[in-house]
Structures are given as C-alpha cells and as structure tokens.
Amino acid sequence: MRFLRQVRLAQVAVAAIGFSSFGSAVAEPEVKTVPDVLEVGALTSTFEEFQRTCDAAGRRLWGQSLCAPLLVVHPVTRVFVASTWPSGSGTGPWVGMFPSELTIANTALTWAGTTWVQLQGPLPDAPARRRALLAHEAFHRLRTTLGHPGREKDNAHLDGIEGRTLLQLEWRALAAALRATTPSVRTRAVEDALVFRRERRTRFPEAAVAEGLLEEHEGLAEYTGVALAVADARGRRALALENLDDAVKRSSFVRSFAYASGPAYGLLLDEAGPRAQGWRARALAGADLGTLLQDALRLGTPEPSPEREARYGGAALRETERERARLAQARAEALRKKLVEGPVLHLPLVRMRIQFNPGELIPLAEHGTVYPGARIVDAWGSLTATSDVLLSSDWKTATVNAPPSGPRDARWEGEGWVLELAPGWRANKGPRPGDLVLQAPEARSPAPQP
C-alpha cells in the first residue's frame, strides 16, 4: 500500500480485466503498464477520507449511509482507479482500463457486478470541491440503489428572455439572503426570491413540475455535496455563493440551474429554524423547495413590483437577455437547418448512455434539445461528437448531420462526429432525399416462415 501511494500510475503494472454488462469476466487478466494520467496515492487518500465520513454524514442528512465504492476514470486514456476490487477479488486499489462500451461521467454506474460512484478524473484540486463532488455523486448512487434514479422534463422556458431573467433575479435574491447578517434582511431577500420564482412559474405553467424534478434530482444532490464539503456554516454559504456566481456564466440554464438553486435553498432551510425541521424528507417526497422555505419563515405571497426588480438590476439584466436572445435565435435557426431540415442521419435510442456538459444545451422547440458535443453508447455502437447532436424530446432518436460518404468497415465519420458501428448495423435511406436511418440487423431480415 505504501508503494502505491508513492508512485505515479505509469510505474504500476496492473491487471486489465474486461466485464460484460452482467458483471462476469470476459477475458483473462492481462498484465500491462498504463499511462501516467492519475495519481494512485492521492486518490487512495481521497477514497479513505470519504469512507471515514460517508456513513455518519449520510445518516445525518438523509437517514441513509452514503458509503459506496468509488471509481475514477480518465476521460482521454480511459485509465481507472477504483477504491476496491469487484466482489472482493483483490486487495488495495483496483487499477485498469475502462471498457470502451461504457461512458465516462460523474454518475452512478453498475458495472462488474458493483454499483459504483463513477467520477471523471482528475478530481478537483480544491479539497472542499473534491469532497462536494464525491458526496453529490454518492447521493445519486444512494437514490439509484433505492429505486429512485431521478426523472426529468424539458426546461426549455429557461432559454427564453423572461425565463432566464426571472431565474437570474431569483438567484441574485438568494445570494443576498445567503450574505445577509440580520434576520430581517435575509427574510426580505428570501421573499424577493420567492416572488421571482412564483412569477416565472405563473408565466410558464409547466415550469413548476419540470423545474421541481431537476431540483429534486440534481439540486438535492448538489446541496448534499455543499453541506458535507466543509464543517462550518460560513464555509457552506461561501460554496453555495460560488455556485450561484458560476451558474450565470453558463451558456445554458435548462439542465444546469438546479446546481445553483438547490444548495441555496437547502442551506437557507437548514438555518430557517424549528418550522423547517424535516424539510429534507418532504423534499424527497416531492415538496417544492421554495414552498418549504416560505412555510418555514411564515412568509406571505406579495406581488411582483418594479421596485423589487430594481433592487437586483432587473432593467439592465433584461437588456442583456434581449441581446442574447437575438444571437440565440440566429444560432437556433442554423441548427434547425442543419439537424431538422437536413440531410441528416437518425440513430434510434434503445438503451442509451450519454456523456455531456449540462451547461451547454440548446432547446430547439418541438424538435428536442441540441447537445454541442456528447458521447452516446447504444446497441448500435458509440457516437463521439465534437459538434452538434439533436436528441428528440422523447429521448427516442439522436440526429446528426448526414455524412458525405459511407462507412469504412465499422467506422463512419461526418462533420464533427465519429460513429463506431456494432456488427450488423447499417444505414438505410430515410423518408426524405438524402436522409439516412440507422437500422438493426433484425430490422432488415424477413421473419422466418412457419
């Protein structure tokens, strides 16, 4: 163990073992030297620190242990370092090469007979952010193992002028509440945040459900990370304020907003007094975070007003959002021509796993959402895109621009994407000239006659 802590990964000869999706070994162990990309000793220390606190911390927040096996994967070389071996088949950290058919992301992953907290390496340098990331993903794993992997709906309203403006006004008010040093100032700021939140959800009737689902899924996970990253309330508030500051820098809020809203509301609820007791259980059951805070502080339902918006620079913010909307409309029109009008290649989504950046998504009305760069793994193989991929709203189809030529063996390349095809899969002509549709082998073969 001391040896592993003192050497770089390049110096470690490891056993690379392949596993099927059911966790059984599919190849004999092969001893090889893996690239110099992850520090085994530092990761081992991180694993040990997490395991010392995960049980008590999880039970304090959620009544359940957050302890879990940890798996860190480098996104380029696919080298991994795991905190334990699957099924107790070895001792010490497990080091190897991550299978190409699996996606690399911060998520809960069931592989090799184990449900892991998977993390994309290298981990954050800042200790608090590193602890927050581990706790965030451990919450996801806990929810997954309990049969609650999370549900989501489209939040396209957060890409328009009013949706984005009212969300950012809510964030500014939440930041003011977290910075407040007196109860009266904090209460007024919370009241302002709730007014902006209610106004947005009045303008967009679908927003309450759609936003609530993502706040339950990602907002509570990020709250867990922030709450457990540092020991003192001041440090936790500082992390939540960082999240709020970082959130406005993202090009898209539709899939990322809850990482800012969740910790802010969670910490304010933690400090809201006796009436907030039990709020976490109610939030897991679907209660709205804003409503929980309103009830805990016994706030009324005041109406929106120009004076309230003026406290947070509403006029200047709206002008900024109008200019952004003009540019976004031009971008959306270009994407519509590319990925809707075609010609395009359609890929059916059967058992999709996707790796993407949640802060860059672009809603494309009824057509779905554009992912500017993603890696998708499905029954047909893997798609690695450095450019735009359109996912339909029902998550049944992925679409890329049509390639200029056919595949070479199992590899197919288009503008900004590479498709590695599984055996038997190929593209047939689509319903429009120039379009292609990827089809499974059985879809092309006639059914046997009785």
Side-chain angles (χ1 to χ4, degrees):
M1 184 68 71
R2 178 177 299 175
F3 173 74
L4 282 174
R5 288 175 180 158
Q6 293 176 343
V7 298
R8 301 289 298 181
L9 184 55
Q11 299 169 288
V12 183
V14 301
I17 307 175
F19 286 84
S20 73
S21 59
F22 299 101
S24 57
V26 296
E28 290 297 318
E30 175 189 359
V31 176
K32 63 170 74 174
T33 300
V34 294
D36 181 12
V37 291
L38 293 172
E39 178 65 59
V40 176
L43 287 174
T44 301
S45 297
T46 296
F47 297 158
E48 291 172 347
E49 179 190 34
F50 174 75
Q51 298 299 344
R52 284 195 299 270
T53 60
C54 55
D55 184 71
R59 294 184 187 282
R60 176 168 61 84
L61 290 187
W62 304 112
Q64 300 274 351
S65 173
L66 289 175
C67 294
L70 307 174
L71 175 72
V72 179
V73 188
H74 193 278
V76 177
T77 64
R78 305 188 73 82
V79 172
F80 72 78
V81 179
S83 61
T84 187
W85 287 65
S87 305
S89 55
T91 58
W94 181 34
V95 185
M97 304 296 291
F98 199 57
S100 60
E101 65 270 17
L102 299 178
T103 54
I104 301 171
N106 296 324
T107 187
L109 169 72
T110 299
W111 169 61
T114 302
T115 300
W116 307 86
V117 170
Q118 183 193 179
L119 303 158
Q120 180 173 298
L123 299 182
D125 290 331
R129 284 298 174 191
R130 189 165 58 245
R131 289 191 290 268
L133 175 61
L134 265 64
H136 176 122
E137 300 305 334
F139 174 86
H140 281 317
R141 179 192 179 274
L142 171 63
R143 296 291 288 164
T144 298
T145 57
L146 293 176
H148 305 287
R151 298 177 296 129
E152 295 183 24
K153 287 192 173 183
D154 188 9
N155 281 289
H157 64 282
L158 294 179
D159 204 53
I161 295 174
E162 283 304 311
R164 285 178 57 92
T165 298
L166 289 167
L167 177 63
Q168 289 175 87
L169 288 172
E170 179 186 1
W171 284 345
R172 291 179 181 186
L174 288 172
L178 289 169
R179 293 190 180 100
T181 57
T182 63
S184 61
V185 172
R186 172 171 289 193
T187 297
R188 187 181 77 164
V190 168
E191 185 178 79
D192 291 341
L194 295 176
V195 167
F196 299 136
R197 183 181 181 92
R198 186 167 57 252
E199 183 179 358
R200 184 177 67 253
R201 294 180 174 188
T202 299
R203 287 175 180 261
F204 306 100
E206 75 284 359
V209 172
E211 292 179 12
L213 288 174
L214 195 60
E215 284 184 339
E216 180 183 333
H217 182 50
E218 294 292 358
L220 293 181
E222 186 64 6
Y223 156 76
T224 301
V226 168
L228 300 182
V230 290
D232 62 291
R234 183 177 180 179
R236 291 192 290 270
R237 287 195 295 271
L239 287 181
L241 287 167
E242 283 182 10
N243 279 26
L244 289 166
D245 289 341
D246 290 343
V248 299
K249 302 172 187 175
R250 294 177 179 266
S251 59
S252 171
F253 300 155
V254 297
R255 181 56 175 72
S256 62
F257 77 93
Y259 294 83
S261 301
Y265 277 106
L267 295 186
L268 290 168
L269 279 161
D270 282 345
E271 300 180 15
R275 285 180 61 86
Q277 187 174 0
W279 75 262
R280 300 186 196 96
R282 295 197 294 275
L284 286 179
D288 178 70
L289 294 176
T291 302
L292 289 171
L293 186 56
Q294 180 179 3
D295 292 345
L297 297 178
R298 298 184 179 183
L299 300 178
T301 55
E303 295 298 317
S305 68
E307 295 77 18
R308 200 182 299 273
E309 283 202 10
R311 283 202 286 269
Y312 304 97
L317 179 57
R318 272 198 168 78
E319 186 59 36
T320 299
E321 286 302 321
R322 288 190 188 97
E323 176 60 19
R324 179 197 175 273
R326 184 183 66 80
L327 298 174
Q329 185 176 5
R331 174 80 191 280
E333 182 59 29
L335 290 170
R336 188 176 291 105
K337 290 180 178 179
K338 176 182 177 182
L339 298 173
V340 177
E341 296 179 9
V344 298
L345 168 64
H346 295 295
L347 299 90
L349 301 177
V350 182
R351 51 177 185 270
M352 178 192 67
R353 297 186 296 274
I354 184 171
Q355 176 183 342
F356 65 97
N357 184 341
E360 297 182 349
L361 309 189
I362 305 170
L364 211 58
E366 72 275 11
H367 305 294
T369 301
V370 175
Y371 290 63
R375 185 171 189 268
I376 299 175
V377 177
D378 210 306
W380 35 258
S382 66
L383 173 73
T384 302
T386 56
S387 186
D388 306 304
V389 183
L390 174 64
L391 264 64
S392 61
S393 299
D394 59 7
W395 285 64
K396 291 183 178 179
T397 307
T399 302
V400 293
N401 56 296
S405 59
R408 293 186 178 181
D409 297 325
R411 183 181 177 87
W412 208 353
E413 295 190 26
E415 181 186 350
W417 59 264
V418 175
L419 178 61
E420 301 283 353
L421 286 170
W425 285 79
R426 70 180 186 188
N428 284 356
K429 291 183 179 180
R432 303 180 309 184
D435 284 0
L436 298 168
V437 178
L438 203 62
Q439 291 191 326
E442 60 270 20
R444 300 188 307 272
S445 304
Q449 297 298 318

